[in-house]
Amino acid sequence: MQADEAVTAAPRLTRKGQATRDRIAAAAAALMFERGVAGTSIEDVQAAAGVSPSQVYHYFKDKKSLVKAVIAFQTTQVVQAFGAVEPRYSRLDSMEALRAWRDFAVNLERSLNYAGGCPIGSLGSELAESDAEARREVAAGFALWERSVVEGLRAMRERGELRSDADPRRLGLALLTMLQGGLLLTQIRRDTAALEAGMDAMLDHIESHLIPA
Amino acid sequence: MQADEAVTAAPRLTRKGQATRDRIAAAAAALMFERGVAGTSIEDVQAAAGVSPSQVYHYFKDKKSLVKAVIAFQTTQVVQAFGAVEPRYSRLDSMEALRAWRDFAVNLERSLNYAGGCPIGSLGSELAESDAEARREVAAGFALWERSVVEGLRAMRERGELRSDADPRRLGLALLTMLQGGLLLTQIRRDTAALEAGMDAMLDHIESHLIPA
């Protein structure tokens, strides 16, 4: 499944139309990351994207449908940056790649001054109880992300590097869960101590399942 | 530090006044847990607590000060339920106590139909970027909670049950971080798979530091 498949119920757009729509979604994503969904109005988005109010409503029938596009946008961003495609940590299929991934997360949070939390986790936290459809979209985004993390661990096991009692599915889910907790606590504490302690513990735990070479 | 020390800048209240104030804070906490801070108005709180608007404003000068009281209220609740005082898991100072704590969290989430996330974590996520004071209060609440978790691990190490390379401070922080990620993903996924996989991984990791009896 493509992360943005869920939002293409809209009529087919021209290339220019698609570019405008994407620009509006990106502007909304940036504002909602900074201020939350409740703190972002259609007017704010319109001003930030440099379009007219009628243009926003041409592409998104209401704020809810804009939020849906933001979830799709942020899922794509997160899976690209933190999934298994970034060359830096290749397929997350070695301890070196996993440790580099951990460092990437810590450094990214520092560069963001510890603000914002996880782009999709915080949307999920804000919307889960008020917008069931948004909650499901965020859950689908996580499922996509989770698969890319599990895949790396599965490759390690298939190559005989991880013991047979290491369950890539459960370990991958636990790793993503720790990353979520770490990003949330980074946002709350304004430091990366929890993210570092948490990721190090999980990576040590995964490493303890390695078969000595 | 008492969790609610931070909110006692208000004038000294009569016993009846304190009870009314507590009732308003508890009603606000329940609503904000269900609908978020942005989705809860002073009028909602007033109706739920069964008091007049002027009574709310008598105890809380504005929504911000009400939010502060809610953070203190939820911190006390969370530290009582998930800190180290609940008889069920005593001082969180044995693997049995820690596993019971994990089961308690999973069962609690089931009984809540997987809704709401962590009472203080979700306040932190919603408020961190818009209310610096609230963010600091949530961080202080976490620090209190963290200490009670670390204390149990420290006791295990002092009794010679944990190896000397096990750092109770880092392990305790990692455990709390995993619990946060697990509660957030429970809320988003509407199941406890991430919470269970995450807590099991962290507890197995802690257990791997035990000195065989």
Side-chain angles (χ1 to χ4, degrees):
Chain A
M1 190 186 94
Q2 282 289 316
D4 48 2
E5 200 170 85
V7 295
T8 47
R12 190 167 273 283
L13 299 171
T14 63
R15 212 166 121 179
K16 195 169 159 234
Q18 186 63 48
T20 306
R21 189 186 185 285
D22 291 348
R23 194 166 83 243
I24 296 169
L31 289 173
M32 289 173 183
F33 183 69
E34 271 172 43
R35 316 173 182 175
V37 173
T40 303
S41 68
I42 295 271
E43 291 67 39
D44 297 334
V45 173
Q46 169 234 312
V51 297
S52 69
S54 69
Q55 269 180 297
V56 176
Y57 288 108
H58 175 71
Y59 295 102
F60 303 98
K61 78 174 197 300
D62 52 20
K63 191 170 169 185
K64 226 168 166 163
S65 87
L66 182 58
V67 165
K68 212 170 148 177
V70 167
I71 295 170
F73 176 86
Q74 292 290 36
T75 298
T76 304
Q77 297 289 108
V78 158
V79 172
Q80 268 172 16
F82 277 96
V85 295
E86 169 71 21
R88 211 170 330 195
Y89 32 80
S90 71
R91 293 182 60 244
L92 294 180
D93 63 348
S94 69
M95 285 316 301
E96 294 67 34
L98 288 164
R99 300 267 178 207
W101 185 65
R102 173 265 193 219
D103 292 346
F104 174 69
V106 170
N107 290 330
L108 180 65
E109 290 302 295
R110 280 188 195 134
S111 75
L112 293 169
N113 284 317
Y114 317 106
C118 170
I120 62 171
S122 49
L123 288 170
S125 177
E126 183 175 356
L127 300 167
E129 311 311 332
S130 60
D131 184 342
E133 198 182 336
R135 184 194 62 68
R136 280 191 297 269
E137 303 273 331
V138 172
F142 269 111
L144 205 68
W145 188 3
E146 184 189 335
R147 266 202 294 283
S148 79
V149 175
V150 167
E151 207 178 283
L153 296 173
R154 191 167 282 146
M156 289 169 74
R157 209 178 101 166
E158 278 166 10
R159 290 197 306 259
E161 293 162 17
L162 274 181
R163 289 203 315 263
S164 60
D165 67 332
D167 179 343
R169 210 182 41 78
R170 283 202 111 215
L171 286 176
L173 180 54
L175 187 57
L176 195 55
T177 305
M178 185 64 97
L179 181 60
Q180 282 305 304
L183 294 174
L184 174 60
L185 285 176
T186 297
Q187 182 180 24
I188 291 171
R189 300 166 52 112
R190 286 333 202 210
D191 69 50
T192 54
L195 178 63
E196 293 181 50
M199 293 299 280
D200 288 345
M202 258 318 292
L203 294 178
D204 288 351
H205 181 63
I206 292 172
E207 194 160 19
S208 75
H209 291 80
L210 285 188
I211 295 170
Chain B
M1 190 188 92
Q2 282 289 318
D4 48 2
E5 199 172 86
V7 293
T8 47
R12 190 168 273 283
L13 298 172
T14 64
R15 215 166 119 179
K16 195 169 158 234
Q18 187 63 50
T20 307
R21 188 186 186 283
D22 290 349
R23 193 164 86 243
I24 297 168
L31 290 173
M32 290 173 182
F33 183 70
E34 271 172 41
R35 318 173 181 174
V37 174
T40 303
S41 68
I42 294 270
E43 291 67 38
D44 297 334
V45 173
Q46 171 235 312
V51 296
S52 69
S54 69
Q55 269 179 298
V56 176
Y57 287 109
H58 175 71
Y59 295 103
F60 303 99
K61 76 175 202 294
D62 52 18
K63 190 171 171 185
K64 227 168 166 164
S65 87
L66 183 58
V67 165
K68 213 170 147 177
V70 167
I71 294 168
F73 175 87
Q74 293 289 36
T75 297
T76 303
Q77 297 290 106
V78 158
V79 172
Q80 268 171 17
F82 278 96
V85 294
E86 170 69 25
R88 209 171 330 197
Y89 33 79
S90 73
R91 293 181 61 242
L92 294 180
D93 62 349
S94 68
M95 284 317 299
E96 294 67 34
L98 289 163
R99 300 267 180 210
W101 185 65
R102 172 264 193 220
D103 292 345
F104 174 69
V106 170
N107 291 331
L108 180 66
E109 290 303 296
R110 281 187 194 134
S111 75
L112 293 169
N113 284 319
Y114 317 106
C118 170
I120 62 171
S122 49
L123 287 170
S125 177
E126 182 175 356
L127 300 167
E129 310 311 333
S130 60
D131 183 342
E133 200 182 335
R135 184 194 62 68
R136 279 191 298 268
E137 302 273 332
V138 172
F142 269 112
L144 206 68
W145 187 3
E146 183 189 336
R147 265 202 296 282
S148 79
V149 175
V150 167
E151 206 178 284
L153 296 172
R154 192 167 282 147
M156 290 169 74
R157 211 180 99 167
E158 278 165 11
R159 291 198 306 262
E161 294 162 19
L162 274 181
R163 287 203 315 264
S164 60
D165 67 332
D167 180 344
R169 210 182 41 78
R170 283 202 110 214
L171 286 176
L173 181 55
L175 187 57
L176 194 56
T177 304
M178 186 63 97
L179 180 60
Q180 282 305 304
L183 293 174
L184 174 60
L185 286 176
T186 297
Q187 181 181 25
I188 291 171
R189 300 166 52 111
R190 285 333 201 209
D191 69 50
T192 54
L195 178 62
E196 294 181 49
M199 292 299 279
D200 288 346
M202 255 321 289
L203 293 177
D204 288 351
H205 181 62
I206 291 172
E207 195 161 18
S208 76
H209 290 79
L210 285 187
I211 295 170

